[in-house]
Amino acid sequence: MNKAKSNDLVAIENKSVSVTSNDFDSEVASEKNFGDIDRSNGASAFMSYCNVVCVVAGTGVLGLPMALRQGGWIGLVILFLAWSMSIYTANLLIKCLYAGGGESKRLITYKDVATAAFGTVGGWVTFFFNAWILLGGPVLYLVLSGQNINQLCRGTAGELGDTPWIIISCVVVAIPFILVKTMKDVAWISALGLVAIIVTVLVVLIMSAIDKPNQVNVHHDVVIWDMFPIALSTIAFSFGGNVVYPHIESSMKKPQSWTKVVAGGLSTCAALYVIVAVCGYLVYGTEVMNPIYNSLPDNAGRIVATVVITINVMTSAPIYTMSFSLDVEEMCNISVERFGKTKEFLIRATFRIALMAVICVIACTVPHFGTLMSLIGAFGNCTLIFIFPVAFYLKLTGIRNKPIYELAWCALVVLLGLVGLIFGTMEAIKQLIIDFS
């Protein structure tokens, strides 16, 4: 028995983790000593699952009825495609972290993967899009939070205006962001965000069902071909989590569970999306609004939906800012080993305070930022979610060693990303022209 066990260990050691074929084995990868990642106090699979759901679902769950309004019921087919493709590319990205670093090193960031695949230029191009999404997302979340809180306080002494509440929201988000160090430390916040998402979906489902008898002459479309690409782009954005996946996976105690975690998380998001999209579009048709709770009757149910989605966006924002700060801190080698525990904390806290200040100023002052974010979001999200992971994977692991069916699937994934990229960008540019004119 001991001899057999020894032979198994030798086989594991001899199996290269630099992925040169299609059969990446995450369990083998976890057996290797991958550099400086300490997983001894890592997060559980469930807490990592909460991180995935919280960061992906977020406000995406509110905009899916609008996607059906844009493209018709066929949007449900695109929703299924985007779900399956996002699971695939999420796994490709993590494979690339191990493939790009060789046999004894796991890459840390999305930028590292791009650099390993396409050199310095590719790395900085990816970092630009990554940074825009990681910083632009919290800006929009905090704007929505400030507007929601001010709306809830309408007619009371708490009606301070959107800007003061945006600033207050930034302070609230900044506290855990500055005090905690890693993605594992914000997992409990994600669990709270997950509860908020589920409550939001239940409120929308119940209130729209109650309001259905009041909605007459509701119009629905099976497919709207001229708006179909825009709907595709909107749905694709709703599965955008690749920007934080490297840090979520690195915070896991058992990285071999990543495939189950991301599949479970994105499947949960897809189920919530289907519930909200179907009930919202079925009840309100072409009159449905974004976010969906603005279509609900102005009563206690709408107030509850507004409150819980505000909680959700404020729990999602630290995950984005944490991922960006970890990238920068890794690039600048801000570590305890280099500076010592006290000095490292002071440097890290100073950087994060400055980062939150910049986010707060942008949220309070930049005109038409939502439209600008849509422009870069269309360009950034479709590339980071669908196009880049496939390109990096094929570059790092080879093309000829892949079966034809996988190459065909990769081509379809890239095609979906290109359609969303091109038409989403065109629509955002049209809206920018309208805003500035």
Side-chain angles (χ1 to χ4, degrees):
M1 182 179 296
N2 290 336
K3 183 176 181 180
K5 185 175 181 180
S6 176
N7 290 338
D8 289 341
L9 290 175
V10 170
I12 288 176
E13 290 299 320
N14 288 336
K15 186 168 182 177
S16 173
V17 182
S18 60
V19 184
T20 56
S21 66
N22 188 41
D23 57 344
F24 177 84
D25 189 339
S26 60
E27 293 191 13
V28 172
S30 69
E31 294 290 336
K32 303 285 283 186
N33 180 24
F34 276 102
D36 51 2
I37 298 179
D38 180 12
R39 299 184 185 270
S40 58
N41 295 312
S44 66
F46 175 73
M47 298 310 292
S48 300
Y49 159 85
C50 290
N51 273 335
V52 171
V53 176
C54 186
V55 76
V56 173
T59 53
V61 74
L62 304 176
L64 266 296
M66 176 61 74
L68 295 189
R69 170 182 168 178
Q70 292 171 329
W73 286 115
I74 198 173
L76 294 176
V77 177
I78 302 303
L79 179 62
F80 174 79
L81 276 177
W83 161 73
S84 57
M85 290 177 176
S86 61
I87 292 177
Y88 178 69
T89 59
N91 282 298
L92 290 191
L93 179 59
I94 300 305
K95 290 179 182 181
C96 290
L97 292 174
Y98 294 95
E103 296 189 15
S104 60
K105 180 176 175 59
R106 174 198 181 277
L107 300 178
I108 305 298
T109 67
Y110 207 144
K111 176 180 177 293
D112 291 340
V113 173
T115 301
F118 293 102
T120 303
V121 174
W124 283 111
V125 169
T126 301
F127 179 78
F128 169 77
F129 291 123
N130 212 42
W132 185 271
I133 300 301
L134 289 175
L135 297 181
V139 168
L140 295 183
Y141 284 174
L142 292 168
V143 169
L144 179 60
S145 173
Q147 292 173 346
N148 283 352
I149 296 174
N150 193 60
Q151 180 182 346
L152 291 169
C153 295
R154 186 172 298 164
T156 70
E159 189 178 359
L160 307 176
D162 291 349
T163 299
W165 279 116
I166 291 173
I167 296 173
I168 294 171
S169 298
C170 288
V171 173
V172 173
V173 168
I175 293 172
F177 171 55
I178 294 168
L179 294 180
V180 302
K181 185 176 181 179
T182 66
M183 197 67 72
K184 170 184 176 291
D185 299 323
V186 297
W188 65 272
I189 301 177
S190 299
L192 179 61
L194 175 58
V195 173
I197 294 170
I198 293 174
V199 172
T200 302
V201 171
L202 290 176
V203 170
V204 171
L205 176 62
I206 294 171
M207 294 305 301
S208 59
I210 294 174
D211 195 36
K212 190 176 189 308
N214 301 322
Q215 305 300 316
V216 295
N217 299 323
V218 176
H219 178 72
H220 306 94
D221 295 290
V222 175
V223 58
I224 305 174
W225 289 114
D226 58 337
M227 292 295 291
F228 175 79
I230 308 304
L232 185 154
S233 180
T234 302
I235 293 169
F237 297 161
S238 300
F239 288 97
N242 283 19
V243 288
V244 300
Y245 289 161
H247 292 297
I248 293 178
E249 193 270 351
S250 69
S251 71
M252 293 176 61
K253 188 170 186 176
K254 297 181 178 179
Q256 60 267 37
S257 300
W258 169 252
T259 300
K260 297 177 182 177
V261 166
V262 74
L266 292 178
S267 296
T268 300
C269 293
L272 296 174
Y273 288 167
V274 169
I275 294 172
V276 174
V278 170
C279 70
Y281 189 58
L282 180 65
V283 174
Y284 300 104
T286 54
E287 301 301 317
V288 71
M289 301 175 68
N290 184 15
I292 177 59
Y293 56 73
N294 285 336
S295 294
L296 301 178
D298 192 5
N299 55 24
R302 181 169 174 175
I303 293 175
V304 171
T306 304
V307 169
V308 292
I309 201 60
T310 302
I311 294 173
N312 173 256
V313 298
M314 292 187 69
T315 54
S316 299
I319 302 177
Y320 280 91
T321 54
M322 179 74 72
S323 185
F324 178 78
S325 66
L326 289 173
D327 283 352
V328 176
E329 289 159 18
E330 171 67 24
M331 291 166 56
C332 298
N333 192 24
I334 301 175
S335 63
V336 175
E337 291 75 16
R338 181 183 179 188
F339 295 106
K341 190 172 182 179
T342 301
K343 191 174 180 180
E344 183 268 348
F345 172 77
L346 292 175
I347 294 174
R348 176 165 49 84
T350 301
F351 167 70
R352 294 188 180 191
I353 290 171
L355 182 62
M356 283 305 305
V358 171
I359 290 174
C360 185
V361 170
I362 295 174
C364 293
T365 60
V366 174
H368 312 306
F369 185 84
T371 309
L372 288 170
M373 185 62 195
S374 296
L375 173 61
I376 305 299
F379 199 72
N381 265 325
C382 283
T383 52
L384 292 172
I385 298 167
F386 299 113
I387 301 174
F388 283 177
V390 172
F392 297 160
Y393 174 63
L394 295 179
K395 181 66 166 61
L396 291 172
T397 67
I399 297 177
R400 294 183 179 181
N401 54 9
K402 306 294 187 299
I404 188 66
Y405 63 83
E406 184 176 12
L407 293 177
W409 177 247
C410 287
L412 184 60
V413 172
V414 172
L415 177 62
L416 184 81
L418 288 173
V419 172
L421 164 67
I422 295 170
F423 290 97
T425 301
M426 289 173 56
E427 186 66 19
I429 291 175
K430 291 178 184 177
Q431 188 59 48
L432 267 180
I433 294 173
I434 294 173
D435 287 345
F436 280 101
S437 62

